[in-house]
């Protein structure tokens, strides 16, 4: 009797497996990426297209670029998709990533209250604008989270000749240690200036009295790159599936999917996987 029950259970298990091949063959990867790619809604647009094409599910860990690269260093993601080229190149040089591929770009914009206490609205000179903000002690919100946007912001203060971590810092400058959406919400609540990527700004709903005050400076260019985490360093990395995602996103099909993502007719990201030096 026991043998018969055991055989019946085995047969039932085999039947269940045969009836659910998709369950047995489900493929997925983890991508550690920036809050800007998530907050802008880009992933919601492109990931269903990739899954339909390949059957691979992409689970996104949304962090600042520094944290996203750290996630890759620990082997807790299969792919990193970020926007801080010097940090990306170091990640590869240190053996944590296989190869960096350019994917797309947009730009940073300086957001501020329509009352514009620093008097910078309409300028295309981000360095002059930051000097004016510091000179007027106008409130400024910094992500302060070691993200790509935070790194870009710190570099711009440096170009302005302002020691924002030392003597140049005042009560007007507030670091929140959070992502782009949170920084914009804080700026909206306090009528403060903030550096944002254009994609997140275009998708941001809680604008309050905020508007773009400075844009168009070449210093505000914002490039994104993608890297497979090194499977030789972390054998658990899903090399084939991760590379499939990279191959798709830099292919004409993936690049078109990025270009097609728009909000109110505004294109958020511009594909440039074939650009040299990007």
């Amino acid at each position: 009797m026991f043998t018969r029950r055991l055989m019946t259970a085995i047969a039932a298990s085999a039947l269940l497996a045969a009836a659910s091949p998709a369950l047995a063959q489900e493929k997925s990867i983890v991508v550690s990426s920036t809050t800007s790619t998530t907050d802008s809604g880009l992933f919601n647009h492109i990931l269903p297209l990739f899954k339909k094409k390949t059957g691979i599910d992409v689970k996104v860990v949304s962090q600042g670029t520094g944290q996203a690269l750290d996630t890759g260093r620990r082997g807790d993601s299969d792919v990193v998709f970020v926007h801080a080229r010097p940090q990306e190149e170091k990640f590869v040089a240190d053996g944590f990533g296989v190869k960096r591929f350019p994917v797309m770009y947009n730009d940073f914009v300086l957001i501020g209250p329509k009352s514009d206490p620093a008097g910078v609205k309409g300028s295309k000179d981000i360095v002059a604008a930051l000097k004016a903000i510091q000179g007027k002690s106008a409130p400024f919100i910094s992500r302060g989270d070691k993200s790509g946007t935070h790194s870009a912001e710190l570099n711009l203060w440096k170009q302005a000749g302002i020691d924002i971590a030392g003597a140049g810092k005042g009560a007007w400058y507030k670091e929140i240690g959070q992502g782009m959406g949170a920084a914009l919400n804080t700026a909206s609540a306090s009528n403060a200036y903030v550096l944002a990527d254009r994609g997140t700004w275009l998708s941001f709903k809680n604008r309050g009295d905020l508007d773009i005050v400075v844009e168009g400076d070449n210093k505000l260019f914002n490039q994104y790159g993608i890297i497979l985490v090194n499977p030789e360093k972390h054998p658990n990395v899903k090399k084939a599936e991760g590379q499939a995602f990279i191959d798709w996103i830099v292919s004409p099909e993936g690049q078109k999917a990025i270009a097609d993502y728009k909000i109110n007719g505004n294109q958020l990201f511009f594909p440039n996987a074939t650009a040299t030096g990007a």
Side-chain angles (χ1 to χ4, degrees), residues 12 14 42 47 69 73 99 101 114 120 130 138 142 155 183 202-203:
L42 177 68
L47 294 186
L69 289 168
R73 286 188 186 94
K99 182 180 178 181
F101 295 85
K114 293 175 183 176
V120 299
L130 292 180
S142 171
N155 184 51
L202 287 173
S203 62

Side-chain angles (χ1 to χ4, degrees), residues 70-263:
D70 283 343
T71 298
R73 286 188 186 94
R74 295 192 303 269
D76 291 335
S77 64
D78 304 294
V79 173
V80 293
F81 185 7
V82 291
H83 63 141
R85 184 171 177 178
Q87 294 181 49
E88 296 164 38
E89 291 176 339
K90 186 176 189 305
F91 181 82
V92 174
D94 291 345
F96 292 103
V98 176
K99 182 180 178 181
R100 176 189 177 274
F101 295 85
V103 177
M104 63 189 188
Y105 69 92
N106 63 3
D107 61 343
F108 294 111
V109 288
L110 184 66
I111 305 300
K114 293 175 183 176
S115 59
D116 191 26
V120 299
K121 186 172 177 61
S123 168
K124 290 191 175 183
D125 187 340
I126 185 62
V127 165
L130 292 180
K131 288 179 179 178
I133 289 170
Q134 192 233 16
K136 297 285 182 66
S137 295
F140 186 96
I141 302 300
S142 171
R143 283 178 56 168
D145 62 350
K146 298 181 180 179
S147 62
T149 303
H150 182 219
S151 296
E153 179 221 313
L154 294 179
N155 184 51
L156 290 169
W157 287 114
K158 185 177 180 180
Q159 291 182 60
I162 297 170
D163 179 15
I164 202 63
K169 184 178 181 179
W172 55 274
Y173 184 85
K174 181 180 180 182
E175 296 175 284
I176 65 169
Q178 297 183 64
M180 195 69 260
L184 283 167
N185 275 320
T186 303
S188 178
S190 53
N191 278 334
Y193 293 92
V194 61
L195 186 72
D197 69 282
R198 189 182 294 269
T200 305
W201 170 249
L202 287 173
S203 62
F204 184 63
K205 301 291 192 295
N206 183 31
R207 295 186 179 186
D209 198 41
L210 298 182
D211 203 354
I212 293 177
V213 293
V214 177
E215 61 182 329
D217 192 323
N218 289 337
K219 295 183 179 69
L220 297 172
F221 181 78
N222 181 29
Q223 176 70 46
Y224 288 79
I226 195 166
I227 306 167
L228 178 71
V229 176
N230 193 347
E232 293 185 5
K233 180 87 66 175
H234 297 289
N236 60 296
V237 167
K238 296 176 181 177
K239 178 181 178 181
E241 291 86 349
Q243 190 61 51
F245 180 58
I246 293 171
D247 291 345
W248 179 82
I249 211 164
V250 302
S251 73
E253 183 179 346
Q255 294 280 280
K256 182 179 184 301
I258 290 169
D260 286 346
Y261 181 53
K262 298 177 182 179
I263 293 180

